[in-house]
Amino acid sequence: MTMRTPLRPLARILKARSSGENPDTIERENLRLRHEEMRDTTRLRAEGRLLVLGLCFVSAFVVVGLRMGQVAASNPEEPQAVTTGTSILAQRADILDRNGRILATNRTTHSLYAQPQEMIDPLYAAKELAKIFPDLNEDKLIKDFTGTRKFLWIKRQIAPEQQQAVHDIGDPGLLFGPRESRLYPNGKLASHILGGTKFGREGVMSAEIVGQSGIERYRDEYLRDPANGDKPLQLSIDLSVQSTMREVLFGGMHLLNAKGAAAVLMDVHTGEIVSMVSLPDFDPNGRPTFAGQNAADNPRFNRAVQGVYELGSTFKIFAAAQAMELGLMTPDTLIPATPPFKWGKHSIREFEGHNYGPMLSLTDMIVKSSNVATAHVAQQIGVARQKAFLDSLGFLDATPVELTEASGAKPLLPPNWSELSTITIGFGHGLSASPLHLATAYSSLLNGGTRVTPTLIKHQGPIRLGPRVVRPEVSAASRAMLRAVVGEGTASFGDVRGYKVGGKTGTADKPRENGKGYYDDKVITTFASVFPVDEPKYVLIVTMDEAVETSGPKPRRTAGWTAVPVAAEVIRRVAPILGIRPDIETLALGQ
């Protein structure tokens, strides 16, 4: 295409004058030429833009096609979430029992929050929310919704049916946020062991889960570590045994009108706690609040670990064992037993005024549970040696079990450990310890004589023997004494058909809350047992608070009538679960 280049206007005008043309005609011609020039320039510019735009579209299609081909040819991969240093990690490792069954895991729920400035009908929303969540105050909700607040939490976590009910309200100012929470599928079972969790740092889209008590808090760092998300924490407890022991203990507590009870089942060789129950208990899915004044009445109080009690005559076996270990006595050594035992102005007598004669053998001292004979034995042992022996059994320090509460449950020791203290501690008064302390000491004494450390973590690898506390012969003699207690002594109700059980009863008056003396009609009863007694595998401690048996003409509060039958029922039910075969001899004898 050729373009005409117009003459300059002045030149055209001069030329027109010389040739006689009309100047107006020339001006119109110039205008026409300029319009044509502008039109051609605009058209060329538009054609250039269309060309560039077309090239862009072609390039985009080529890139998309190439990318689609690349994706189609590659292996599929799960998308990875990118987090920053300020993100909230809610993932928490599972907790399993010794057989791999779930005790604690995570579930996806939702939180409920409000943005009042987005609400359409805050009065109606508050009214409906109070119906869905009875613990919410309608007037307070109205005040919050109609005030100046731009954000407020309503519920940290809600159930699916609650979420649907809130959704049906239809108010755009009520919003949900995804929330991971802790779930305990077995409810109250093992609640004192697991403890519970709470929310730490919170955001709309997630919340941090932190341990609040129990092993959830003690092993919080491990459970929260993202590297352990697929490595659950495996405990030593057996869920089936735990369920059975709780059922029996719960029934016994109510049958015997006790205000509380505790039980510990421990492997005597590893120190693994196979079951531990404290009643009353609670549901860790919704930890209860407690407004009472006495902390021991709180359902969250772990009587098996935190409860320190005078455990009565269960301590007498320690005096007998130490006397044999020191070479002072043998099982047949005769000991003065005529009541009362005098020490200064103090007189020690037998329970309910019994008189077992002038002399008792060391074995009969345990079988008949003689306070007087035990006082003589403890006096011969002496203060320093008794204190060192009880220390070797773990009675002077808090138990190292993996529970946050355990570190604060130290035994109550006499401020001045005198000879009188040694005498009274010999038969279980003057030193307060927990049922877990007692289970640890009995395991260490009866397993052959080596110290065990209580643990809630399943043992892995070979078993390492602890320090020796008594010789194997002393351990065997102690077991024989405890077997005699069940066969012919104060724990006759503890005999279980098919299983050789040994044990020792303990009945201790309960101290008053103000520290001034003891109650006349309130006791702590304990039965410390071992089974099978010939080849011990487990120690079982059952402790009951203020239990009383009322089937007879007068109330009976001793351990032989309260703690012993409950422990026997526990053994009868859990021994088969633990894989302990019945003893043919005892089955044949009908024991």
Side-chain angles (χ1 to χ4, degrees):
M1 179 180 63
T2 59
M3 294 182 61
R4 291 176 297 177
T5 303
L7 299 176
R8 294 179 180 179
L10 181 59
R12 289 294 306 272
I13 291 172
L14 293 175
K15 184 178 179 180
R17 284 178 178 177
S18 62
S19 60
E21 289 186 51
N22 187 348
D24 293 335
T25 302
I26 296 173
E27 183 63 25
R28 285 194 296 272
E29 180 66 17
N30 286 336
L31 290 173
R32 185 183 64 79
L33 293 174
R34 282 197 296 273
H35 284 304
E36 288 181 357
E37 181 181 5
M38 293 174 61
R39 185 175 64 250
D40 292 341
T41 302
T42 302
R43 184 172 63 252
L44 289 174
R45 187 181 298 117
E47 290 174 352
R49 290 175 177 173
L50 288 173
L51 179 61
V52 171
L53 187 60
L55 291 174
C56 290
F57 273 109
V58 171
S59 300
F61 277 113
V62 170
V63 171
V64 171
L66 291 175
R67 179 57 182 162
M68 290 177 65
Q70 182 183 8
V71 171
S74 63
N75 293 325
E77 295 181 0
E78 290 291 336
Q80 300 295 321
V82 179
T83 60
T84 66
T86 58
S87 63
I88 299 176
L89 299 176
Q91 184 65 33
R92 191 173 181 87
D94 289 346
I95 300 178
L96 311 178
D97 84 333
R98 66 184 303 108
N99 299 311
R101 290 172 289 191
I102 292 179
L103 299 174
T105 188
N106 306 310
R107 65 174 176 178
T108 300
T109 59
H110 287 83
S111 60
L112 174 61
Y113 62 96
Q115 293 180 342
Q117 73 277 13
E118 303 293 334
M119 298 184 75
I120 297 175
D121 191 347
L123 300 183
Y124 174 75
K127 179 180 178 181
E128 294 300 310
L129 287 173
K131 292 180 181 178
I132 300 170
F133 306 103
D135 57 320
L136 295 181
N137 185 282
E138 181 180 347
D139 294 336
K140 186 177 185 304
L141 287 175
I142 294 174
K143 182 179 179 180
D144 290 336
F145 291 166
T146 57
T148 58
R149 300 184 64 176
K150 296 183 178 181
F151 175 92
L152 72 144
W153 287 112
I154 298 176
K155 281 288 183 180
R156 259 57 177 185
Q157 56 180 333
I158 57 176
E161 59 272 16
Q162 293 172 326
Q163 182 184 5
Q164 182 60 47
V166 174
H167 185 271
D168 292 341
I169 295 175
D171 197 305
L174 298 177
L175 303 171
F176 307 103
R179 179 65 55 92
E180 188 176 80
S181 63
R182 201 63 161 164
L183 174 65
Y184 302 93
N186 303 295
K188 293 183 177 182
L189 204 59
S191 58
H192 290 95
I193 296 173
L194 298 171
T197 58
K198 61 181 179 180
F199 290 124
R201 293 183 301 147
E202 292 185 280
V204 171
M205 302 304 292
S206 63
E208 185 179 49
I209 304 175
V210 297
Q212 189 171 10
S213 63
I215 204 163
E216 286 274 25
R217 184 173 178 181
Y218 188 91
R219 297 300 298 270
D220 186 58
E221 184 175 348
Y222 175 91
L223 293 168
R224 291 172 59 191
D225 189 345
N228 299 323
D230 58 347
K231 299 177 183 177
L233 179 64
Q234 191 163 24
L235 303 188
S236 60
I237 68 169
D238 185 308
L239 192 61
S240 298
V241 176
Q242 181 77 12
S243 176
T244 302
M245 197 156 82
R246 182 190 181 276
E247 180 182 352
V248 174
L249 197 65
F250 183 85
M253 186 180 82
H254 287 275
L255 184 65
L256 297 167
N257 306 297
K259 67 179 296 185
V264 179
L265 181 68
M266 179 181 289
D267 187 311
V268 299
H269 300 290
T270 65
E272 291 176 303
I273 299 171
V274 181
S275 177
M276 182 166 66
V277 179
S278 175
L279 296 176
D281 51 11
F282 64 96
D283 188 343
N285 290 299
R287 287 168 58 89
T289 57
F290 179 74
Q293 296 180 351
N294 191 350
D297 295 332
N298 189 335
R300 300 198 301 266
F301 183 78
N302 189 343
R303 293 171 180 267
V305 175
Q306 294 173 277
V308 289
Y309 313 103
E310 290 184 342
L311 296 170
S313 297
T314 59
F315 264 53
K316 289 175 181 173
I317 193 64
F318 302 134
Q322 187 176 11
M324 291 187 289
E325 178 67 17
L326 293 172
L328 301 176
M329 299 177 184
T330 68
D332 298 323
T333 299
L334 294 177
I335 308 160
T338 303
F341 176 91
K342 292 282 189 178
W343 192 93
K345 63 179 181 179
H346 301 280
S347 296
I348 295 171
R349 293 178 170 81
E350 303 292 7
F351 178 71
E352 292 186 341
H354 289 298
N355 187 338
Y356 301 115
M359 304 292 286
L360 286 175
S361 69
L362 190 64
T363 297
D364 286 337
M365 178 191 86
I366 298 299
V367 172
K368 297 184 181 299
S369 196
S370 170
N371 295 337
V372 173
T374 306
H376 282 287
V377 174
Q379 190 175 40
Q380 289 190 51
I381 292 172
V383 175
R385 291 192 295 192
Q386 183 195 56
K387 190 173 183 179
F389 185 67
L390 293 180
D391 187 22
S392 71
L393 294 175
F395 278 115
L396 304 191
D397 300 298
T399 59
V401 73
E402 298 89 349
L403 294 176
T404 303
E405 300 81 6
S407 61
K410 296 182 179 180
L412 301 179
L413 309 177
N416 176 27
W417 201 310
S418 62
E419 184 180 46
L420 180 61
S421 299
T422 295
I423 292 169
T424 59
I425 289 173
F427 54 83
H429 291 268
L431 188 154
S432 297
S434 70
L436 183 58
H437 279 99
L438 193 63
T440 304
Y442 264 65
S443 295
S444 301
L445 175 64
L446 304 174
N447 65 3
T450 56
R451 172 77 179 268
V452 299
T453 301
T455 180
L456 282 165
I457 306 300
K458 184 179 180 180
H459 194 275
Q460 304 291 342
I463 301 172
R464 294 184 179 180
L465 296 179
R468 181 158 293 282
V469 293
V470 295
R471 290 174 282 119
E473 312 87 78
V474 173
S475 178
S478 300
R479 295 197 301 269
M481 291 178 181
L482 296 178
R483 176 61 182 160
V485 173
V486 174
E488 53 192 271
T490 58
S492 58
F493 288 155
D495 216 357
V496 179
R497 186 171 184 267
Y499 299 98
K500 291 183 178 180
V501 179
K504 185 71 190 77
T505 56
T507 304
D509 293 331
K510 190 173 181 180
R512 298 181 183 274
E513 286 77 5
N514 57 13
K516 297 180 180 180
Y518 293 83
Y519 287 105
D520 295 328
D521 58 350
K522 295 180 181 181
V523 295
I524 298 291
T525 56
T526 304
F527 183 50
S529 57
V530 57
F531 65 98
V533 74
D534 294 336
E535 296 180 4
K537 293 184 179 180
Y538 299 98
V539 155
L540 171 66
I541 309 296
V542 172
T543 297
M544 309 198 76
D545 187 358
E546 298 184 20
V548 55
E549 200 278 329
T550 57
S551 64
K554 63 178 182 178
R556 291 174 284 207
R557 295 184 171 85
T558 59
W561 287 95
T562 56
V564 173
V566 174
E569 182 64 13
V570 169
I571 294 172
R572 187 182 72 81
R573 293 197 190 185
V574 305
I577 300 175
L578 295 168
I580 302 176
R581 299 182 65 179
D583 182 76
I584 301 300
E585 179 184 350
T586 56
L587 281 175
L589 292 175
Q591 293 181 338

